[in-house]
Amino acid sequence: MQPASQPTLYELLEGLPTGVTGEILNGQLHTHPRPSGPHGRAANCLDRIIGRYFDFGDGGPGGWWIFTEPEVHFLRDAEVTVPDLAGWRRERMPIPPEDHRFEVVPDWVCEIFSPSTASRDREIKLPLYAHYGVPYAWLIDPVAHTLEAYRLDAGAWLEIDRFADADQVVAPPFESVSIDLRGLWLPGRPRIVERR
């Protein structure tokens, strides 16, 4: 009788329950639940803005594919990330894949922090993106209302700029459009004041 074969990490990733996102980072399976409200708001709004000008070319330069939560395979089924947003210049990826595996290195990634993912995004995924040669990365904290923009320089991340609250974001690779940062944040919750 032969022992049952152990599932691969990718088979485990594929078997995750609905609502759980999996990534294989440095040979380890990492999971996290669906994003929170502030996280989802920032991702959706940034996708609409960048997608409008750069994917659809509506009033902007076009020339990009922008995807939310693509499954990026730096090494097929072995090194798999799911950035919150990613973009590819169309001259590098003329046609997106028909299945769920994106095997062309993105030209830009954006990670949006959640309490459960912030350290992983910064300490594990950002170095991984540098290792595989992603030219641009943005990190967004929807609670602190910040956006950090980086570009790859000789294999290391160089901070381009840091934006906060209601700043106008003009940063590579999308510097031809100014993004009103305050549009990414959920409005503050009203305070309840007791009357005496």
Side-chain angles (χ1 to χ4, degrees):
M1 184 173 205
Q2 291 191 350
S5 63
Q6 293 282 46
T8 66
L9 283 177
Y10 193 73
E11 288 170 338
L12 291 172
L13 184 149
E14 286 185 309
L16 291 172
T18 302
V20 176
T21 299
E23 300 176 293
I24 302 171
L25 310 172
N26 300 323
Q28 293 186 347
L29 179 62
H30 294 263
T31 62
H32 53 88
R34 299 299 304 152
S36 65
H39 180 288
R41 167 75 183 180
N44 288 337
C45 291
L46 188 60
D47 175 49
R48 287 184 199 128
I49 295 165
I50 291 176
R52 174 180 174 197
Y53 293 108
F54 293 91
D55 191 318
F56 293 107
D58 181 12
W64 286 76
W65 297 111
I66 306 296
F67 285 89
T68 57
E69 297 187 349
E71 190 175 287
V72 178
H73 288 243
F74 292 112
L75 297 174
R76 188 176 179 92
D77 298 350
E79 195 76 75
V80 181
T81 68
V82 181
D84 292 302
L85 292 163
W88 289 261
R89 295 181 191 273
R90 292 189 186 201
E91 66 262 18
R92 289 193 55 253
M93 188 175 75
I95 300 172
E98 291 191 14
D99 71 357
H100 61 282
R101 290 177 176 94
F102 287 75
E103 296 185 274
V104 174
V105 172
D107 293 293
W108 167 79
V109 292
C110 179
E111 293 292 354
I112 300 169
F113 295 164
S114 291
S116 64
T117 66
S119 65
R120 180 183 321 143
D121 289 342
R122 187 181 296 280
E123 296 164 18
I124 298 174
K125 292 177 78 175
L126 203 56
L128 197 66
Y129 293 142
H131 176 76
Y132 287 103
V134 176
Y136 295 97
W138 289 6
L139 299 178
I140 295 177
D141 187 330
V143 174
H145 295 180
T146 60
L147 185 153
E148 302 166 35
Y150 296 90
R151 75 174 165 83
L152 198 60
D153 184 14
W157 290 114
L158 177 67
E159 186 175 297
I160 299 168
D161 211 336
R162 193 175 285 248
F163 305 92
D165 300 318
D167 286 346
Q168 292 294 310
V169 176
V170 178
F174 306 117
E175 66 271 22
S176 61
V177 170
S178 178
I179 299 168
D180 183 356
L181 199 55
R182 79 183 136 196
L184 305 185
W185 318 134
L186 283 176
R189 295 184 180 203
R191 293 184 342 177
I192 298 174
V193 178
E194 290 185 27
R195 291 186 159 196
R196 292 180 182 221

